[in-house]
């Protein structure tokens, strides 16, 4: 039986394209066969008493997965091909809320309830057992989110103390502190040209855009009538994706950042209006979300249509991530495990056959 799911994206700039989900050789039985949902092909878990995970990401080469939120306050690194843990980074005194890897693959950055940002050298031999991290201090409350500029020179953190802080990765100094009007800063991201920082929080009324050089808030590209968004990301083609988990004025908004034009509101159905996590696919035109119904959805930015679902993990999802080669979707599970879908995307141009492959 052909289990291929075709995802078509159309637009005025790019030609029509078809993305293909090819089912792996070994399928996980469950609802996926009955209602078009995909069950995960792997589950990366540690001890049985692990608490809900808080974040997950992949290294730029797609070989390893990094997860946070474990019961022992460690950060774990997994071999994606084998599903086995290969490193355990220890040092935080409390829950680790956020993790990311620098684009050059050298460092992992983590932030936690102990009010610290930690910098881990992934090339150091002693990071395999126990880990050796540099501690960066300055926040007066928990560090809730972290991201890195594309040149790997600066890290940006959002904290429960209502500040956005910019750190020099080489010197490990805090070089700028940006203060919001009220509430915690739940989410931060950096524009692809490294000129601006975007921040958002549930206590704020919108998304703030900061000039990275001057530290000035230059505009508020997105506003909310209630609490602000708790998740942010940027698509490769410059669309701001913000998500507010609120029954009123909630949902996912997609806005062209440069022009300020609202492109889509992904709010079809109550569960889609209450997102827990968003992630921009590494190929332009698609966004991943995780809702309160625990289903992962893939959306076409151009049409606003839901084009695919991933399910079968059977737990809440706090963070989602897609590897740079489009091959795997990762979810930080409420059961203390990282759930992995092998989506195996291939790009095809109608009438021309396969034009390019994610592999």
């Amino acid at each position: 039986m052909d289990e291929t799911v075709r995802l078509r994206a159309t637009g005025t700039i790019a030609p029509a394209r078809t993305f293909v989900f090819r089912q792996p050789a070994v399928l996980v039985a469950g609802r996926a066969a009955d209602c078009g949902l995909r069950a995960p092909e792997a589950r990366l878990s540690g001890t049985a008493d692990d608490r809900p995970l808080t974040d997950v990401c992949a290294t730029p080469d797609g070989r390893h997965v990094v997860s946070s939120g474990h019961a022992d306050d460690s950060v774990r690194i997994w071999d994606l091909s084998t599903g086995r843990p290969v490193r355990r980074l220890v040092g935080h005194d409390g829950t680790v809320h956020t993790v990311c890897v620098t684009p050059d693959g050298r460092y992992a950055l983590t932030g936690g309830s102990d009010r610290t940002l930690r910098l881990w050298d992934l090339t150091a031999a002693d990071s395999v057992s126990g880990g050796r991290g540099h501690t960066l201090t300055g926040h007066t409350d928990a560090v809730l989110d972290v991201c890195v500029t594309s040149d790997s020179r600066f890290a940006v953190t959002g904290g429960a103390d209502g500040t956005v802080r910019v750190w020099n990765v080489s010197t490990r100094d805090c070089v700028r502190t940006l203060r919001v009007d009220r509430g915690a800063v739940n989410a931060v991201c950096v524009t692809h040209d490294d000129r601006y920082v975007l921040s958002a929080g549930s206590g704020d009324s919108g998304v703030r855009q900061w000039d990275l050089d001057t530290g000035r808030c230059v505009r508020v590209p997105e506003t909310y009538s209630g609490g602000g968004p708790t998740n942010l990301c940027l698509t490769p083609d410059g669309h701001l994706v913000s998500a507010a988990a609120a029954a009123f004025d909630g949902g996912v908004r997609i806005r062209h950042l440069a022009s300020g034009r609202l492109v889509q509101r992904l709010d079809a159905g109550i569960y889609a209006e209450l997102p827990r996590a968003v992630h921009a696919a590494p190929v332009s035109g698609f966004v991943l979300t995780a809702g309160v119904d625990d289903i992962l959805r893939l959306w076409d930015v151009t049409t606003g249509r839901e084009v695919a679902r991933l399910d079968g993990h059977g737990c809440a999802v706090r963070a989602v991530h897609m590897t740079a080669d489009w091959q795997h979707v990762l979810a930080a599970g409420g059961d203390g495990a990282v759930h992995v879908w092998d989506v195996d995307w291939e790009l095809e141009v109608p009438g021309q056959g396969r034009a390019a492959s994610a592999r």
Side-chain angles (χ1 to χ4, degrees):
M1 180 176 62
D2 183 8
E3 294 288 344
T4 298
V5 180
R6 299 182 182 276
L7 311 178
R8 182 177 299 278
T10 59
T12 58
I13 299 176
R17 300 171 297 170
T18 300
F19 290 93
V20 179
F21 281 120
R22 299 196 186 280
Q23 297 284 8
V26 179
L27 301 180
V28 177
R31 287 182 289 169
D34 299 325
C35 54
L37 305 182
R38 285 287 307 278
E41 277 72 59
R43 181 180 183 273
L44 314 180
S45 62
T47 59
D49 60 348
D50 258 348
R51 61 191 173 207
L53 297 188
T54 56
D55 206 359
V56 65
C57 68
T59 53
D61 61 8
R63 295 177 56 193
H64 296 95
V65 174
V66 188
S67 59
S68 63
H70 298 278
D72 59 2
D73 300 328
S74 70
V75 175
R76 295 180 189 170
I77 303 178
W78 312 80
D79 186 309
L80 186 53
S81 63
T82 66
R84 299 182 60 184
V86 294
R87 299 188 183 186
R88 183 168 164 267
L89 309 179
V90 178
H92 278 284
D93 183 17
T95 301
V96 182
H97 296 296
T98 180
V99 61
C100 74
V101 177
T102 55
D104 61 11
R106 180 173 181 182
Y107 296 107
L109 292 110
T110 58
S113 60
D114 59 1
R115 303 176 293 180
T116 68
L117 173 69
R118 306 225 176 200
L119 182 71
W120 310 88
D121 188 346
L122 299 182
T123 67
D126 62 354
S127 65
V128 175
S129 178
R132 179 173 60 88
H134 300 283
T135 303
L136 286 64
T137 59
H139 280 285
T140 58
D141 208 333
V143 179
L144 302 177
D145 199 18
V146 61
C147 64
V148 185
T149 55
S150 64
D151 58 8
S152 301
R153 294 177 56 200
F154 296 98
V156 180
T157 53
D161 58 1
T163 67
V164 176
R165 295 179 185 263
V166 183
W167 311 80
N168 186 305
V169 173
S170 297
T171 66
R172 307 178 196 109
D173 295 324
C174 179
V175 297
R176 199 170 298 283
T177 301
L178 318 174
R179 300 186 184 278
V180 302
D181 288 342
R182 63 171 185 253
V185 179
N186 297 94
V188 290
C189 63
V190 180
T191 56
H192 301 305
D193 59 6
D194 294 338
R195 293 182 58 192
Y196 301 103
V197 174
L198 296 156
S199 69
S202 56
D204 208 349
S205 58
V207 178
R208 298 176 183 269
Q209 183 174 342
W210 309 83
D211 187 301
L212 192 56
D213 289 331
T214 66
R216 291 177 54 247
C217 180
V218 296
R219 60 194 286 232
V220 180
E222 189 69 83
T223 59
Y224 286 78
S225 57
T230 55
N231 283 272
L232 291 178
C233 65
L234 280 167
T235 65
D237 55 357
H239 287 88
L240 169 66
V241 184
S242 59
F248 176 71
D249 204 23
V252 177
R253 299 182 189 178
I254 301 176
R255 186 176 296 274
H256 188 261
L257 186 61
S259 67
R261 180 174 60 91
L262 180 64
V263 178
Q264 295 291 348
R265 287 193 62 160
L266 310 181
D267 56 3
I270 182 63
Y271 291 123
E273 290 177 357
L274 297 172
R276 284 196 175 116
V278 294
H279 177 74
V283 58
S284 295
F286 293 96
V287 172
L288 271 171
T289 65
V292 295
D293 58 355
D294 306 330
I295 294 176
L296 278 63
R297 291 174 168 86
L298 184 69
W299 303 84
D300 185 317
V301 171
T302 302
T303 64
R305 289 177 51 246
E306 177 190 330
V307 292
R309 294 186 182 189
L310 304 176
D311 195 11
H313 46 293
C315 64
V317 171
R318 299 298 178 184
V320 291
H321 183 88
M322 184 178 293
T323 55
D325 61 2
W326 326 338
Q327 298 294 289
H328 301 93
V329 172
L330 315 171
D335 59 353
V338 177
H339 298 268
V340 182
W341 288 262
D342 182 1
V343 292
D344 193 13
W345 282 3
E346 292 182 357
L347 175 62
E348 295 181 359
V349 178
Q352 301 179 26
R354 189 170 68 185
S357 172
R359 295 191 190 281

